[in-house]
Amino acid sequence: MEAKNASDDWIKQSELLHGEWVGIQSELYADKFMTLLDEAIHDAKDMLIERYEWICSQNPASAKFMYENGTMNGYIPGEGIKSAMRHGTLVIGQLGLAEALQILIGKDHTTPEGMELAKKIEGLFKRRCAEFKQAEHLNFGVYYTPAENLCYTAMKKFQQKYGVMKDISDREFFTNSMHVPVWKEVSPFEKIDIESQLTGYSNAGCITYIELPSSVINNTDALEQIVNYAMDKDIPYFAVNVPNDTCLDCGYTGEFNDCCPECGSTHIQQLCRVTG
Ligand SMILES: [Zn+2]
């Protein structure tokens, strides 16, 4: 298996994380990881239920408006908040799939080996949430979290504990959910091809973004082609990010280089949304 040919770099990385596992084939790391992940998924379920029960123990009178005006669908007077709350969702989210794969096998899901393990990981999330749903009669689901802030705070904590490791913690943020890392050079079509293989494991929500280097105002056919491609691949929620520059003097918006094409001002704001 490819995993047995893990590079020296990978061994060093793994040594930092799991000293006792040094030298053992990487599929064992993956097995160990799956056991730990399973425990974490069960912990998440327990926490969600504890919070749910606590919310349901509140008196409807504490937020009367919510229950008297049909705001909370399903509420049955006299039956407590639970009658409305049980229709909500309890979701288990995630970030950093790409980095987890780097730790385990030294490559992410832009490779066939990485994708194979990614599907096992996501399959576990999906399977467990389906089981919790059956057992608890509540809407458990998997969420590919758009955790823009947590991506940074989680990375800070990780670096404090494990240090800086190449392609794992040598950036300021973890990669969001199961996204292709933003520094990977892939075309919009390749990104859709990769992420669409995993969106089916998430029944509570996910998003796929693509980043275009320039505005598509003059090439809407290209935009349409990309959107159609995403729809054909069953991407449930698709977003396109383009540069959006504003002149702070005259208010002109569009795509600039160093100055406003309208008034020549260099007092400009250049925005380009990225996801971590
Ligand atoms: Zn201007």
Side-chain angles (χ1 to χ4, degrees):
M1 268 179 76
E2 184 65 33
K4 285 178 184 167
N5 300 322
S7 67
D8 286 341
D9 265 347
W10 173 76
I11 295 290
K12 271 183 222 148
Q13 288 157 10
S14 306
E15 190 175 3
L16 285 164
L17 278 178
H18 306 289
E20 72 270 32
W21 288 87
V22 172
I24 300 176
Q25 292 156 355
S26 59
E27 53 260 51
L28 286 182
Y29 287 87
D31 284 349
K32 173 79 176 167
F33 174 77
M34 294 300 273
T35 306
L36 294 172
L37 178 64
D38 206 8
E39 284 169 20
I41 291 172
H42 280 83
D43 285 347
K45 184 254 305 179
D46 291 344
M47 285 188 272
L48 285 168
I49 289 180
E50 189 175 333
R51 189 179 64 171
Y52 169 76
E53 294 293 350
W54 188 84
I55 293 170
C56 290
S57 73
Q58 304 305 299
N59 191 327
S62 64
K64 234 168 173 254
F65 176 85
M66 298 293 283
Y67 302 101
E68 285 185 348
N69 297 282
T71 313
M72 296 293 285
N73 209 6
Y75 176 68
I76 303 167
E79 291 197 12
I81 286 178
K82 193 174 266 187
S83 58
M85 287 297 163
R86 69 187 189 86
H87 300 292
T89 49
L90 300 175
V91 299
I92 299 178
Q94 58 176 281
L95 56 81
L97 175 67
E99 289 81 1
L101 293 168
Q102 284 288 350
I103 291 170
L104 294 170
I105 58 169
K107 50 186 83 171
D108 62 32
H109 51 312
T110 57
T111 66
E113 300 85 355
M115 180 56 82
E116 194 185 327
L117 183 53
K119 286 179 178 174
K120 280 186 195 157
I121 291 171
E122 299 309 337
L124 182 66
F125 272 98
K126 187 180 180 182
R127 202 163 64 246
R128 288 292 179 249
C129 283
E131 289 167 9
F132 300 154
K133 193 173 179 176
Q134 287 294 319
E136 308 289 341
H137 299 287
L138 290 167
N139 298 316
F140 277 93
V142 186
Y143 190 39
Y144 287 157
T145 320
E148 264 74 13
N149 287 325
L150 183 60
C151 283
Y152 287 89
T153 47
M155 177 56 88
K156 257 188 212 126
K157 300 260 182 211
F158 185 95
Q159 287 169 338
Q160 282 164 11
K161 197 167 177 185
Y162 301 109
V164 174
M165 288 171 275
K166 190 176 178 302
D167 289 336
I168 296 168
S169 56
D170 54 354
R171 289 176 176 83
E172 286 180 51
F173 49 84
F174 278 114
T175 300
N176 234 334
S177 65
M178 54 36 160
H179 286 169
V180 171
V182 287
W183 57 89
K184 287 270 171 179
E185 302 261 336
V186 292
S187 75
F189 299 103
E190 286 169 318
K191 193 168 190 293
I192 292 165
D193 282 341
I194 294 163
E195 294 184 5
S196 64
Q197 293 182 58
L198 297 173
T199 50
Y201 293 93
S202 161
N203 57 357
C206 59
I207 183 165
T208 283
Y209 293 94
I210 58 134
E211 182 103 12
L212 296 179
S214 64
S215 163
V216 286
I217 288 171
N218 299 317
N219 193 356
T220 48
D221 285 349
L223 182 64
E224 191 177 347
Q225 204 187 341
I226 293 168
V227 172
N228 285 340
Y229 191 77
M231 295 304 102
D232 289 345
K233 290 272 171 171
D234 275 342
I235 295 278
Y237 184 3
F238 183 61
V240 181
N241 294 332
V242 291
N244 184 17
D245 305 332
T246 305
C247 174
L248 298 174
D249 283 332
C250 77
Y252 180 85
T253 59
E255 190 186 351
F256 308 170
N257 287 321
D258 299 324
C259 61
C260 171
E262 194 70 13
C263 75
S265 169
T266 53
H267 191 207
I268 56 176
Q269 184 183 56
Q270 295 186 292
L271 284 183
C272 191
R273 185 177 173 181
V274 291
T275 54

